Amino acid sequence: MSYQFITSAKLPTRHGEFDIHIFENDDGQEHVMLTVGLSVVDQNINVATAPHLNDVASNQSDDTLAERPIPLIRIHSECLTGDAFSSLKCDCGPQLNTAMQAIQETGCGAILYLRQEGRGIGLTNKIRAYALQDQGHDTLDANLLLGLPADARIYDMCGPMLAHVGIDAVRLITNNPDKVAYLTEHGIDVIERVPLLVGVNDMNAEYLATKRDRMGHLLDKDFNTAIHLNK
């Protein structure tokens, strides 16, 4: 599937000003990238797979690349309930806001906001999974009971997005080793994994423990020290 850059503009937020870039795939699905301190190197990306980012980055001068710090990147899949409605069932909203603030403070980075709600199963199935969680099933088993994968997300749009601003090396804000592995396998050097433990509360502690114990997320063994971070 190919991804094409559509348009961009300035986006003032409570964290500071970002450049917002819109990309669209062959099915008309839109994805968003917010950037700070990054210059566009290719306005006409339309690729079936991510190009080798070293080739794209070569469009910039060596001096520009040498002066630019390694950008701080967050790959964030859409979570309407957490990002917009401040749900306490997950940590998505606090993760997004913390990453936006960190990127503003760093002065060089991007949020790759991917439109794959509910770990890729869609909003309706996500709420169906919530109903099963209300009955006592964990986040992984709820998906499986619906006949759905535990995690259906894909990251093939990340390469074109990063190529748009000439990025071939990142400091990645994530607890998910799958994201590190995907970028590394597709020619993007993950210089550092930056952990992100925020928004822990009584309503989502078991959810996070399931991601740690059953889905391989790299979270601290003890959430007690983090439980009041976002209150």
Side-chain angles (χ1 to χ4, degrees), residues 12 53 122 129 134 149 156 171 177 182 225:
L53 296 184
D134 291 342
D156 56 358
R171 297 168 57 224
Y182 182 87
T225 57

Side-chain angles (χ1 to χ4, degrees), residues 7-70:
T7 190
S8 63
K10 299 294 184 182
L11 182 71
T13 76
R14 65 186 178 91
H15 301 290
E17 186 176 85
F18 292 85
D19 291 317
I20 181 169
H21 312 261
I22 304 300
F23 298 79
E24 188 175 282
N25 65 21
D26 296 334
D27 295 329
Q29 185 181 42
E30 298 165 325
H31 300 282
V32 178
M33 179 170 65
L34 303 180
T35 63
V36 174
L38 297 171
S39 299
V40 171
V41 299
D42 189 348
Q43 290 279 5
N44 300 300
I45 289 177
N46 187 350
V47 292
T49 58
H52 194 288
L53 296 184
N54 285 325
D55 295 337
V56 175
S58 67
N59 292 330
Q60 292 183 322
S61 71
D62 293 338
D63 290 343
T64 300
L65 292 174
E67 292 171 2
R68 188 176 75 182
I70 301 298

Side-chain angles (χ1 to χ4, degrees), residues 58-188:
S58 67
N59 292 330
Q60 292 183 322
S61 71
D62 293 338
D63 290 343
T64 300
L65 292 174
E67 292 171 2
R68 188 176 75 182
I70 301 298
L72 191 60
I73 303 297
R74 167 72 182 167
I75 300 172
H76 189 93
S77 295
E78 180 180 57
C79 177
L80 178 67
T81 50
D83 298 341
F85 300 147
S86 302
S87 169
L88 297 179
K89 281 181 173 284
C90 64
D91 57 341
C92 300
Q95 282 190 324
L96 177 60
N97 282 283
T98 300
M100 291 174 68
Q101 186 63 40
I103 288 168
Q104 282 287 342
E105 292 172 357
T106 300
C108 182
I111 304 284
L112 278 57
Y113 195 85
L114 311 182
R115 307 296 299 280
Q116 42 189 8
E117 180 74 49
R119 297 202 301 271
I121 64 174
L123 181 59
T124 298
N125 282 327
K126 175 181 177 177
I127 302 308
R128 287 172 175 153
Y130 272 7
L132 291 172
Q133 292 171 36
D134 291 342
Q135 298 171 23
H137 301 285
D138 69 25
T139 182
L140 189 153
D141 284 338
N143 281 26
L144 299 180
L145 285 168
L146 291 171
L148 301 168
D151 192 339
R153 289 175 294 182
I154 59 174
Y155 301 107
D156 56 358
M157 65 287 288
C158 294
M161 288 174 140
L162 294 174
H164 186 66
V165 285
I167 292 176
D168 63 353
V170 302
R171 297 168 57 224
L172 188 64
I173 305 174
T174 190
N175 303 319
N176 186 350
D178 289 345
K179 293 179 182 178
V180 176
Y182 182 87
L183 293 186
T184 300
E185 290 168 3
H186 289 78
I188 301 165

Side-chain angles (χ1 to χ4, degrees), residues 88-91 133 138-139 197-213 219-224 226-227 231:
L88 297 179
K89 281 181 173 284
C90 64
D91 57 341
Q133 292 171 36
D138 69 25
T139 182
L197 182 60
V198 292
V200 183
N201 62 75
D202 291 338
M203 297 294 295
N204 67 21
E206 290 187 10
Y207 159 86
L208 292 171
T210 297
K211 292 210 294 186
R212 179 195 67 200
D213 298 337
L219 294 169
D220 294 341
K221 293 295 183 182
D222 188 352
F223 296 126
N224 291 336
I227 199 154
K231 292 186 177 181

